[in-house]
Amino acid sequence: MTSMRFTGGSIDGTITPPPSKSHTHRAFLLASMARGRSVIGGPLMSNDTRATLAACRAMGAEWRMEEGRVVIDGGDLHAPESMIDADNSGTTMRLYAGICSMFDREVGITGDASLRKRPMGPLLDALESMGVSCRSENGFPPVYIKGPNMGGKVSIDGHISSQYISSLLLASPMLPNDTEITVEGTMVSVPYLDVTARMMSLFGAEASRDGNVFRVRGGTGYRPYDYRVPSDFSSAAFPLVAGALGGTATADNMDLSDPQGDKAIIDIIRRAGGKVEVDGDRITASRDSLRGCDVDLGNVPDLFPIVAVLLASADGESRLYGAPQLRFKESDRIKTVTDMINAIGGDATPTDDGCILRGRKLRGGRIVHLGDHRIMMAAAVASIACEGPVEMDDTECCAVSFPSFPDDMRRIGLRSEEIRCTLSEAD
């Protein structure tokens, strides 16, 4: 486990953000269900997406790495013969659970200690209403699912995670009957559902949305498709906020036509007083006087840690709201983010769906991110606005979504060094 000290710096340079983790998961699963060969170009290869690939192989898909792409031969599927280990990947666990409901043999899915604290109840309840047998530890992993799921009408609570809905959507074309999914209550993270539906259509499925009702034609399956994974806007947010805090940073190879909700970071930085210029596929953010503002993060919860850092030292008060689902991420992100901001001298008060920030000069300090990759990276960027260093352990956790983060950020001016333990500290 590597401990590091981040000491700010003057930011100037260009970064090509990593491929989208969300798109990579979906592409691997869709290609595995499609009968034939698909090529997934430029995927994010991380612990999370490798867990999805392992799950795909367990149900009969074959894949191989080939010069920066993954070639997948799918379609001849069967129930996995052993327990699926999703490791720390909530996306793998949730998306895969719905797909496994089409099998008539029980499938078990589990993960590490952190993953076993993430709720699955609403998805399991929805599957049971479709005639699927589900077992769990009071709605938490490990979960056991036995179909076959025949399709039909289903209702599901939409306020905790859009991944439950995406899970049902992805499975639906593989089921014998049409599926109609009604989302009850608030539908959070809607752009992720748009990404799911768009990618399903690329692989030949017929899916539509009318308000909070999704309809998917059953019995069609998927067809092979060669798909290139786009760069990730949630990852691009880190260098862009670094530029807004301390210089100029450019994220290139960004597709603004993609339905990723996290491209909202452009508007958020502008509303906070930062300068942002868009030139084709290049986005550049530059330092200016930052001011507090209110931001609804209901559709873009992954931006919460880095937007909190952006506004922690801005003039005035800011309110981040609309995202109660943050309590159920890799950590309770509302608590972990506000603890992080306060640990480095900020003034953050948690709320049920976000936090209140009162801008002030940050002093730096030692933070605890609980292995949450987005909080680790946000804290590193926060050092740009701090009088002193920001220190933390387990900086390797950024590999979940942005494996090259330390090197890329160092290249554009973020200063960092590894902290060496003394013998007494190691003992």
Side-chain angles (χ1 to χ4, degrees):
M1 182 171 67
T2 302
S3 299
M4 294 192 72
R5 176 182 295 117
F6 294 89
T7 54
S10 180
I11 303 302
D12 185 17
T14 299
I15 284 178
T16 301
S20 165
K21 183 161 70 81
S22 298
H23 289 64
T24 299
H25 283 295
R26 287 160 174 77
F28 288 164
L29 291 166
L30 288 165
S32 296
M33 289 186 284
R35 185 171 293 279
R37 177 167 294 176
S38 301
V39 178
I40 309 304
L44 176 71
M45 299 306 295
S46 68
N47 288 344
D48 280 17
T49 58
R50 288 183 186 278
T52 291
L53 274 179
C56 291
R57 177 165 282 166
M59 66 177 181
E62 292 297 330
W63 59 267
R64 67 179 184 276
M65 292 292 301
E66 194 176 87
E67 298 180 350
R69 57 186 190 166
V70 176
V71 179
I72 299 178
D73 291 306
D76 189 14
L77 304 183
H78 56 77
E81 296 179 358
S82 59
M83 176 77 80
I84 298 298
D85 183 0
D87 195 13
N88 186 239
S89 178
T91 306
T92 303
M93 175 181 66
R94 288 169 173 169
L95 299 187
Y96 195 67
I99 292 168
C100 286
S101 73
M102 65 182 178
F103 299 127
D104 61 4
R105 284 176 42 205
E106 187 173 76
V107 179
I109 310 172
T110 190
D112 66 8
S114 174
L115 191 68
R116 293 195 298 272
K117 296 177 182 177
R118 302 184 70 175
M120 288 284 284
L123 176 57
L124 300 180
D125 290 344
L127 290 172
E128 286 190 323
S129 76
M130 302 176 82
V132 177
S133 173
C134 299
R135 297 189 292 123
S136 69
E137 298 289 334
N138 297 315
F140 293 87
V143 299
Y144 300 88
I145 297 162
K146 182 178 182 296
N149 187 344
M150 304 302 288
K153 293 185 177 182
V154 59
S155 296
I156 187 166
D157 188 338
H159 86 281
I160 294 178
S161 175
S162 65
Q163 291 176 353
Y164 302 149
I165 307 162
S166 286
S167 181
L168 298 175
L169 285 170
L170 288 170
S172 293
M174 305 293 290
L175 309 180
N177 301 313
D178 295 351
T179 300
E180 182 178 288
I181 305 165
T182 300
V183 182
E184 298 179 340
T186 302
M187 191 159 57
V188 299
S189 306
V190 173
Y192 287 102
L193 298 175
D194 293 336
V195 167
T196 299
R198 179 172 182 265
M199 292 183 66
M200 288 171 61
S201 69
L202 293 175
F203 282 83
E206 296 180 25
S208 64
R209 176 163 77 95
D210 180 10
N212 67 335
V213 178
F214 294 83
R215 295 179 176 88
V216 185
R217 185 177 176 187
T220 64
Y222 293 101
R223 62 169 181 256
Y225 183 77
D226 292 349
Y227 179 78
R228 182 154 193 89
V229 178
S231 292
D232 185 40
F233 275 90
S234 60
S235 295
F238 296 99
L240 291 175
V241 168
L245 290 174
T248 298
T250 297
D252 66 5
N253 197 35
M254 307 305 301
D255 180 5
L256 272 78
S257 68
D258 190 87
Q260 292 183 58
D262 290 329
K263 59 189 172 186
I265 191 61
I266 297 171
D267 180 59
I268 293 170
I269 293 174
R270 285 173 173 161
R271 288 173 55 202
K275 297 179 180 178
V276 183
E277 297 180 358
V278 178
D279 181 10
D281 67 350
R282 294 168 61 85
I283 305 168
T284 300
S286 302
R287 177 175 51 201
D288 207 337
S289 297
L290 297 178
R291 58 180 179 269
C293 60
D294 293 350
V295 182
D296 182 350
L297 294 171
N299 284 331
V300 288
D302 283 346
L303 293 180
F304 178 62
I306 193 60
V307 171
V309 164
L310 173 72
L311 296 170
S313 59
D315 290 338
E317 185 173 284
S318 301
R319 183 169 73 100
L320 308 184
Y321 66 96
Q325 67 268 38
L326 287 163
R327 298 282 187 189
F328 308 106
K329 295 290 187 177
E330 283 84 340
S331 65
D332 175 348
R333 280 194 180 148
I334 292 176
K335 182 180 189 307
T336 314
V337 167
T338 53
D339 286 351
M340 179 266 288
I341 295 293
N342 292 331
I344 58 176
D347 185 350
T349 302
T351 63
D352 289 341
D353 61 350
C355 71
I356 305 295
L357 297 158
R358 300 164 190 87
R360 60 168 61 178
K361 182 66 178 178
L362 305 177
R363 64 171 183 267
R366 187 166 187 85
I367 69 102
V368 177
H369 53 67
L370 299 179
D372 191 319
H373 55 120
R374 298 194 192 278
I375 296 172
M376 176 265 145
M377 293 185 287
V381 171
S383 70
I384 298 167
C386 292
E387 295 175 334
V390 174
E391 298 181 354
M392 66 189 82
D393 297 327
D394 188 21
T395 52
E396 295 93 342
C397 70
C398 67
V400 169
S401 60
F402 201 155
S404 62
F405 175 82
D407 292 338
D408 285 352
M409 294 301 294
R410 191 178 299 116
R411 183 167 47 78
I412 65 169
L414 180 63
R415 297 191 300 263
S416 62
E417 61 182 356
E418 189 172 333
I419 302 173
R420 303 287 182 180
C421 293
T422 65
L423 182 60
S424 59
E425 289 172 332
D427 292 344

